[in-house]
Amino acid sequence: MTTTASYAERYLSAVARSVPAAARPEILTEVEASIAEQVEPRIAQGEDRDEAERAVVAELGEPTAYAASLIDRPMWLVGPRYYAAWLRLLRLLLWTVPPVATAGVVIGQVVIQASIGEIFGQAIAILLSVIVHVCFWTTLVFFILERTGSTGDTILDWNPDQLPQPAADGVARSELIGSLVMLGIFAGALLWDHFRGFVPGAEPLPVINPDLWPWWIGLLFVLMVAEAALAIAVYARGRWTLALAWVNFAIAVSVMSLGLTALGRGILYNPQFVSQVFTANGVDGAALSVLAALTGIGIAGIGIWDMIDGFLKARTARLS
């Protein structure tokens, strides 16, 4: 059962992520006492506790900026007035603009029937370029706003409903079970595809090229065992660490490299599967290039997200 934390708890959790670990207990005690001191009179006047807490934390303001004021740490990048707004907008843009731009380039390259190597080369180049441009121009806009005396406390409205739920302490058993179950399902799918096939017919028709057995698929199974061992290690330790995040990074890079290398060499999919399911039904080379590009994007996307997720969890654990 999921328990929803109060506004005060969520605000304290958000402030905790923005202050140094050494000063965190003292600061959180001070903030908690300050919130309680303002909430109790409101409750005494008949106001609901939830609404009272919401009003109080709203008056305190965006937690990142409030935390900076408590530790007297200026946010020099764009200044304290706009720092929190800049950070939220930058995160939003980085999650949306680069993927859309990269997908557009991939589609354009497929239309002109570029090779797989050219598609990936252009995709990586545009991805890095867009990330740099988004960071630079977003920061420049807020830099100008800060130094031209633009009025207003923030350019993006903030309210307490945007506060995230506090992260649970340690690593939940459900996360371990979920990881092991997903690895088991993927391993089972590979075995089923090889021995039974996913395409109906008199004979098994694997989707994955049978020639990848035993060495390529065997190496993939070794990496899956390593992933399972990592999940168990994280659970046993009770938290993610930077060292475990780097192990996760190495496994993700290995899996991604294995899949993209097979795809780039044209040996990932079973040629009979491609012939019977696609070519025999009138699917031309351009459409097959789209399939290959989408597969590559899926492999790279999952791998990159897995790497980032490990470091984000390690950072969260360090700050908690």
Side-chain angles (χ1 to χ4, degrees), residues 50-162:
D50 193 55
E51 290 300 320
E53 288 187 358
R54 188 185 190 283
V56 169
V57 300
E59 291 176 1
L60 293 178
E62 205 283 334
T64 304
Y66 182 66
S69 69
L70 293 175
I71 59 178
D72 194 25
R73 176 187 293 171
M75 298 174 178
W76 292 112
L77 186 58
V78 292
R81 182 189 302 176
Y82 293 114
Y83 178 83
W86 164 82
L87 187 60
R88 292 200 305 276
L89 180 59
L90 185 61
R91 286 172 175 170
L92 174 63
L93 293 177
L94 287 177
W95 276 110
T96 54
V97 177
V100 172
T102 304
V105 169
V106 169
I107 293 173
Q109 291 293 306
V110 169
V111 169
I112 64 175
Q113 299 185 1
S115 66
I116 295 296
E118 291 174 331
I119 292 174
F120 281 110
Q122 289 294 326
I124 293 174
I126 196 65
L127 177 64
L128 296 176
S129 176
V130 171
I131 289 174
V132 171
H133 278 282
V134 166
C135 293
F136 174 78
W137 292 109
T138 303
T139 304
L140 180 62
V141 168
F142 280 92
F143 178 87
I144 293 172
L145 287 173
E146 180 69 33
R147 283 151 182 80
T148 55
S150 177
T151 59
D153 292 332
T154 178
I155 200 169
L156 296 179
D157 293 333
W158 176 85
N159 65 76
D161 295 322
Q162 298 172 359

Side-chain angles (χ1 to χ4, degrees), residues 171-181 235:
V171 177
R173 181 178 298 179
S174 59
E175 182 177 338
L176 170 64
I177 295 174
S179 299
L180 297 180
V181 168
Y235 177 74

Side-chain angles (χ1 to χ4, degrees), residues 7-314:
Y7 282 108
E9 291 171 334
R10 291 158 62 186
Y11 195 82
L12 287 169
S13 176
V15 169
R17 291 194 291 269
S18 303
V19 297
R24 190 175 300 150
E26 180 181 352
I27 289 176
L28 292 184
T29 299
E30 178 184 340
V31 175
E32 185 176 16
S34 176
I35 293 175
E37 183 180 348
Q38 298 176 66
V39 166
E40 294 305 326
R42 290 174 175 268
I43 296 176
Q45 295 175 7
E47 192 171 345
D48 178 75
R49 174 174 290 276
D50 193 55
E51 290 300 320
E53 288 187 358
R54 188 185 190 283
V56 169
V57 300
E59 291 176 1
L60 293 178
E62 205 283 334
T64 304
Y66 182 66
S69 69
L70 293 175
I71 59 178
D72 194 25
R73 176 187 293 171
M75 298 174 178
W76 292 112
L77 186 58
V78 292
R81 182 189 302 176
Y82 293 114
Y83 178 83
W86 164 82
L87 187 60
R88 292 200 305 276
L89 180 59
L90 185 61
R91 286 172 175 170
L92 174 63
L93 293 177
L94 287 177
W95 276 110
T96 54
V97 177
V100 172
T102 304
V105 169
V106 169
I107 293 173
Q109 291 293 306
V110 169
V111 169
I112 64 175
Q113 299 185 1
S115 66
I116 295 296
E118 291 174 331
I119 292 174
F120 281 110
Q122 289 294 326
I124 293 174
I126 196 65
L127 177 64
L128 296 176
S129 176
V130 171
I131 289 174
V132 171
H133 278 282
V134 166
C135 293
F136 174 78
W137 292 109
T138 303
T139 304
L140 180 62
V141 168
F142 280 92
F143 178 87
I144 293 172
L145 287 173
E146 180 69 33
R147 283 151 182 80
T148 55
S150 177
T151 59
D153 292 332
T154 178
I155 200 169
L156 296 179
D157 293 333
W158 176 85
N159 65 76
D161 295 322
Q162 298 172 359
L163 290 169
Q165 292 292 334
D169 294 332
V171 177
R173 181 178 298 179
S174 59
E175 182 177 338
L176 170 64
I177 295 174
S179 299
L180 297 180
V181 168
M182 289 303 298
L183 288 171
I185 291 174
F186 187 63
L190 286 173
L191 293 171
W192 182 277
D193 178 66
H194 183 66
F195 293 105
R196 300 295 299 271
F198 283 105
V199 180
E203 296 292 333
L205 182 60
V207 175
I208 302 300
N209 193 343
D211 291 342
L212 295 178
W213 289 77
W215 302 113
W216 288 68
I217 302 298
L219 178 56
L220 181 59
F221 273 108
V222 170
L223 292 172
M224 291 168 62
V225 171
E227 184 74 25
L230 174 64
I232 295 172
V234 171
Y235 177 74
R237 190 175 183 85
R239 59 185 295 168
W240 279 82
T241 65
L242 188 58
L244 292 174
W246 277 113
V247 173
N248 181 69
F249 177 87
I251 295 173
V253 167
S254 300
V255 173
M256 186 169 62
S257 300
L258 195 66
L260 293 178
T261 300
L263 181 65
R265 293 184 181 180
I267 59 174
L268 179 61
Y269 289 114
N270 182 9
Q272 293 183 359
F273 164 75
V274 175
S275 176
Q276 294 185 30
V277 175
F278 293 99
T279 308
N281 291 298
V283 177
D284 58 14
L288 291 176
S289 296
V290 172
L291 172 65
L294 292 176
T295 302
I297 292 173
I299 294 173
I302 293 172
I304 292 172
W305 168 246
D306 191 26
M307 300 175 206
I308 296 174
D309 186 51
F311 287 112
L312 288 176
K313 289 177 178 178

